[in-house]
Amino acid sequence: MNSVKLWCRWFFFCAALWGFSGCGSKEKIFPPKQQVEDAVRAALPSFLILDCMEFEVLGAEQESPKINFKAVVVPKADLFRVDQILPGMPEVTLLKPVQKAGAKITLYGSIVSHRTVDLWSFEMPDFSSGLQQCGQPRGSFGPQAFETGTPEADIALRQQSVNVAQQKNLRKTEAENVVRARIPSFLNPVSMETEVVDAGRETAKVNFRTLVVAEEDLFQIDQKISGMPEVILLKPVQKAGSKISLYGFIVARRTLNQWDFEEPDFFGGLQKCGQPRGSFGEQSFVAGTPDAEAALKRQAERAAQQERARKNEVEVIVRAAIPAFLSFGGLETEAADAGQERLKINFKVVVAAREDLFLAERRIPGKSAVLLKLAQKAGARTTLCGSIAARRAPDQWNFEKPVFPGGFQQCGQPRGSFGARSFIAGTPEAQEALKTQPSEDSQPKKTVDKTLKEMEALGLEAAKGSREAVDQLEQAAGEIYGNLDYHDTKSTASKLALMRAAFAPLAKRAGEGAPEAMDALKYANSKGRLRPFTSDAFGIAAGMGNAEALEKLLHHGQNGWCAACASSALQYAAEKNIPGAVDFLVQVLSESKNKLARRYASRGLVGAAALGNEKAGEALKKYDEEKDER
C-alpha cells in the first residue's frame, strides 16, 4: 500500500513538471487580423479599396513571422494603361481601359511583422502579383491623355496634326529668313524652297534650295604670282544677271517655345559663286587682260630692280668682309632657298692679293719662330665661294654676315701678320735661324704646358665674343698638336680633353642663345686648325635648342665638315628628339654608305626612339636587320 502511494506521488510530480516545461515547445502567437489588414490597406494606391483579405502566418512561434496574404480590392474609377504615345506639339498619349470602376481584383503578396511583447509592427507589403494589372486612373497620365477611339482622342490628334503643320511652316519661314541673311550682298535671292526633315521635339533639320542672281561679274583666283607686290590673276565664273542655284541645310534647336537656328551649310559653299573683283584687293586683275599684262610687267621690273639692289647690297657686305690684303675683283650671285620672308644667296667672289701672301709651313722649335711658304704672288687672283642669308622687313631685306666655308686662310696672309720671328723657307735668313738648332731627332719632344683651367679660361673669354681669344686658342691648338703621336693613345686623349675644355663654354653660351658666342664659334670654324673641334660645339648648342647651330650642321658641307663629323655632332640634338636632327640621321642611316657616319647616326637615334619617335625606331630596326644579314 505504501508503495502504491509512493508511485502515485511520483507520477503527479512528473506530470506537473511536464506541464510547467510546456512539453518543450514555444507558444504560437498570431498578429491581430485587423492590424494586418490596416497595414495592407495603407500600402494600396488611393484609387483602390480593400474589400476583403485572407492570410496565413509562417513561423508564428518566431518574433518576426512572415504573413502571406490574398487581398480582394475594388477600383474607385475606371483604370487605364498607355496604349500609344504620339510625339508632336503637344505630345498625345492614347490609353486603353483595363479595369472598370467597382470590378474586383485579386492581389497576392506577403508582409513581414515584428512583435515586441504585445506590440506589433509591419514592414511594407510586397505585392507579388496583381497590382501591375490594375492600371491607373486617367488623370494620372496628364491632360493630353485620352482613351483610344473616343471623340476627344480624335479631336486631340487632329489638333496635334494642325500644330505640327503650323510648326513646320514656322520653322520653314524662320529658316528661309536665316538663309537669306547669310547670302552675300552681291547675290540677290529671288526664290527659295524648303523641306523639313528629321523633325523632332527638340531639333529639326531643314533642307533648302535657293535661286540667286549675281548683281555683278564674279571671279575666282586663277593664280597667285609671288613678288613685290604679289599679283593675283582672276578668272570670271559668273556674269552679272546670271542665275545660280544654291543647295544646303540648316539645323534648328528648340528652347522653350522658340527655335534657334545654326549657321546654314551651303553644299560646296558659296565659293563656287565667286566674288566681286574688288574683294581680292588692288593687285588683282582678270587674267589675259591688258591690265593684268601691265601689272605682271611692273612686277617683273620691280623684281629686277630688287635683284640688282640685293646684288649691290650683297657686294657691299662681301667687300666689307674681305681682308685688307685682298682686293675685290668681281662677284657672281645665285638666289637659293628663296621664300617670302627669308632668302639665301650663294656667291662667288674673285679676290686678288695686294702683296705676296704666305702660309705657315712649320714652327721652329725653341725659337718661337715660323717658317713660311709662299701661297700667292702679289696680283694673283683667287675665287672664293660663300653664302649670305637675309630676312625681309616690310620694305627691305636685312642681310646677315656672309659665310665663307673655306675661310680666307687658303689665300694666305701677309708676312707681317706672322710676327717678327717668321722666315721664308729656303732664304738665307731662314737657314741662319735653323743653323743653330739641333735636329728634331736629337732634341726631346716638347711637352705642352697647358692645363684644363687655362684652356677653359680661353674658351670663356672667346664666349664673350673675343676674336683675340679665338686666335690664342688657334695658337694653343698648334702647340698642343704640333708633335702629335697617334700611337700614344693616352697623350691623344689628354690633348682632346684640353680642346674640349676650351670649346665647352663656347658651346654652352651659344646654346643659351648668346649671339657673341655664336659669332665666336663661326669665327673659330673659319680657322682650319680649329674646325675639327667646332662641329662638336655646334652639336651641343643645337642640342640645347639653338636653331642656327642646327642649320650649320644640317648643311655641313658648306661649313667644312664631313658627314661623319655632322652625324657625331647631331647626336646631342637627336637624343632630345629635335625633328631636324632626327630626320638627318635617319637619312644617313638609310642612304649613306659611310660606315662611320652610319654608326654615329645609329647612336644618336637610340635616344629619339626611346622618346617614342617612330621614324627613329623604324630606321634602327632596319639598320640592325642589315647588320644581322651581314
Side-chain angles (χ1 to χ4, degrees):
M1 187 67 180
N2 290 334
S3 62
V4 171
K5 290 181 179 179
L6 182 64
W7 184 89
C8 289
R9 289 175 182 173
W10 174 253
F11 175 80
F12 285 117
F13 173 78
C14 290
L17 185 65
W18 180 268
F20 282 121
S21 65
C23 299
S25 63
K26 293 183 179 180
E27 181 183 1
K28 293 186 177 181
I29 302 176
F30 295 93
K33 181 179 179 182
Q34 187 60 43
Q35 291 186 25
V36 175
E37 289 181 357
D38 290 345
V40 173
R41 183 180 290 108
L44 290 174
S46 60
F47 54 83
L48 293 177
I49 300 172
L50 180 63
D51 184 55
C52 61
M53 190 173 76
E54 301 175 17
F55 65 89
E56 60 179 355
V57 180
L58 305 178
E61 69 279 0
Q62 300 175 1
E63 292 185 357
S64 299
K66 180 180 178 183
I67 303 169
N68 293 335
F69 64 82
K70 171 186 175 183
V72 177
V73 296
V74 177
K76 296 179 182 179
D78 292 349
L79 302 181
F80 300 86
R81 285 183 189 169
V82 174
D83 183 26
Q84 190 178 2
I85 296 177
L86 301 176
M89 292 185 67
E91 183 179 77
V92 172
T93 304
L94 296 181
L95 307 175
K96 64 179 180 181
V98 291
Q99 298 291 345
K100 286 287 186 181
K104 292 186 177 182
I105 308 167
T106 302
L107 305 179
Y108 294 88
S110 62
I111 184 171
V112 176
S113 60
H114 301 282
R115 182 173 63 84
T116 305
V117 187
D118 60 348
L119 178 66
W120 290 88
S121 60
F122 300 88
E123 296 182 5
M124 180 63 67
D126 179 15
F127 293 93
S128 58
S129 67
L131 192 60
Q132 294 79 6
Q133 68 185 9
C134 294
Q136 295 183 51
R138 175 178 162 181
S140 62
F141 295 97
Q144 294 300 321
F146 307 95
E147 185 178 346
T148 303
T150 61
E152 57 181 357
D154 295 338
I155 292 171
L157 291 177
R158 283 196 296 272
Q159 184 60 48
Q160 186 192 53
S161 299
V162 171
N163 293 343
V164 169
Q166 289 176 348
Q167 288 293 328
K168 273 194 174 185
N169 291 332
L170 179 62
R171 287 198 293 268
K172 287 171 65 175
T173 303
E174 292 180 359
E176 289 179 6
N177 293 335
V178 173
V179 172
R180 287 176 185 274
R182 298 300 185 274
I183 294 175
S185 59
F186 55 82
L187 295 175
N188 179 27
V190 293
S191 66
M192 187 176 299
E193 298 174 14
T194 55
E195 175 191 15
V196 179
V197 294
D198 298 337
R201 296 185 62 193
E202 304 299 331
T203 61
K205 179 181 176 184
V206 182
N207 292 336
F208 63 83
R209 171 186 177 273
T210 178
L211 185 66
V212 296
V213 176
E215 296 286 322
E216 53 186 298
D217 291 348
L218 303 180
F219 302 86
Q220 288 180 349
I221 294 177
D222 184 29
Q223 189 179 3
K224 286 186 178 181
I225 301 177
S226 331
M228 293 183 67
E230 182 182 69
V231 172
I232 299 175
L233 296 181
L234 307 176
K235 63 179 180 182
V237 290
Q238 300 290 344
K239 285 284 187 183
S242 59
K243 295 181 179 180
I244 310 162
S245 292
L246 300 177
Y247 295 85
F249 69 89
I250 186 169
V251 175
R253 301 184 186 279
R254 188 166 70 91
T255 305
L256 297 179
N257 294 322
Q258 69 176 14
W259 290 88
D260 298 321
F261 287 85
E262 299 178 359
E263 287 293 317
D265 187 346
F266 292 89
F267 297 141
L270 293 168
Q271 292 76 12
K272 66 178 184 179
C273 300
Q275 296 183 52
R277 177 177 165 181
S279 62
F280 295 98
E282 295 181 357
Q283 294 301 319
S284 59
F285 306 92
V286 181
T289 61
D291 289 345
E293 299 297 332
L296 292 176
K297 185 177 180 181
R298 288 194 300 270
Q299 186 191 55
E301 291 174 353
R302 179 77 180 275
Q305 291 174 356
Q306 290 177 339
E307 182 63 28
R308 288 192 294 270
R310 281 201 298 267
K311 184 174 181 180
N312 292 337
E313 193 169 354
V314 169
E315 183 175 322
V316 170
I317 295 171
V318 172
R319 278 177 180 269
I322 295 173
F325 57 82
L326 295 174
S327 63
F328 178 81
L331 180 74
E332 295 180 14
T333 60
E334 176 188 16
D337 299 334
Q340 289 291 321
E341 304 298 330
R342 188 172 175 82
L343 177 68
K344 181 181 178 184
I345 298 176
N346 295 330
F347 61 79
K348 291 181 181 179
V349 59
V350 178
V351 295
R354 297 181 184 273
E355 55 185 296
D356 290 349
L357 303 179
F358 300 87
L359 295 172
E361 188 173 54
R362 67 185 180 94
R363 295 185 178 276
I364 302 175
K367 287 288 187 178
S368 298
V370 181
L371 280 182
L372 306 176
K373 65 177 181 180
L374 182 65
Q376 291 196 53
K377 284 281 189 181
R381 299 167 74 85
T382 305
T383 300
L384 301 175
C385 296
S387 63
I388 186 170
R391 296 180 183 275
R392 194 176 71 159
D395 296 319
Q396 64 179 7
W397 289 91
N398 295 327
F399 286 88
E400 300 174 3
K401 293 181 180 179
V403 176
F404 295 87
F408 294 105
Q409 287 72 18
Q410 57 183 308
C411 300
Q413 297 182 53
R415 178 176 173 181
S417 63
F418 292 96
R421 298 291 297 167
S422 59
F423 307 94
I424 301 173
T427 60
E429 57 182 354
Q431 293 173 359
E432 184 65 28
L434 289 171
K435 189 181 296 182
T436 56
Q437 296 299 317
S439 65
E440 286 191 22
D441 295 336
S442 63
Q443 58 181 322
K445 288 186 178 180
K446 181 180 177 182
T447 59
V448 180
D449 190 19
K450 292 287 183 186
T451 65
L452 289 173
K453 286 188 176 180
E454 289 174 339
M455 296 299 286
E456 186 178 358
L458 266 180
L460 287 169
E461 193 63 28
K464 297 176 183 177
S466 171
R467 291 199 168 198
E468 184 178 352
V470 176
D471 293 336
Q472 292 177 17
L473 189 57
E474 180 188 25
Q475 185 177 354
E479 295 173 2
I480 291 170
Y481 283 90
N483 54 355
L484 178 63
D485 182 3
Y486 287 100
H487 297 289
D488 186 352
T489 55
K490 185 176 180 180
S491 173
T492 302
S494 65
K495 294 175 189 294
L496 181 60
L498 288 172
M499 296 305 297
R500 284 182 171 171
F503 277 95
L506 271 169
K508 182 181 178 184
R509 290 287 295 137
E512 292 171 350
E516 62 274 10
M518 179 56 71
D519 289 341
L521 260 183
K522 290 190 282 189
Y523 179 62
N525 192 58
S526 69
K527 297 180 175 294
R529 195 180 292 279
L530 297 179
R531 194 175 301 119
F533 311 102
T534 56
S535 60
D536 196 61
F538 276 101
I540 293 172
M544 294 175 68
N546 188 300
E548 186 178 3
L550 179 64
E551 282 296 314
K552 292 282 185 188
L553 290 167
L554 295 180
H555 300 89
H556 57 88
Q558 299 176 10
N559 295 287
W561 302 309
C562 64
C565 290
S567 299
S568 174
L570 283 168
Q571 291 181 71
Y572 300 100
E575 288 170 354
K576 301 286 183 65
N577 204 17
I578 295 176
V582 173
D583 293 343
F584 179 90
L585 294 185
V586 167
Q587 186 177 2
V588 168
L589 208 57
S590 59
E591 299 178 6
S592 177
K593 296 182 179 179
N594 187 317
K595 291 184 179 180
L596 185 59
R598 284 164 60 83
R599 189 180 308 137
Y600 286 139
S602 66
R603 292 175 185 172
L605 291 176
V606 170
L611 292 174
N613 191 301
E614 294 182 359
K615 285 185 181 179
E618 291 174 1
L620 283 174
K621 182 179 179 182
K622 186 177 180 181
Y623 176 69
D624 291 338
E625 290 173 353
E626 290 176 356
K627 285 200 303 183
D628 293 341
E629 289 176 1
R630 291 196 294 268

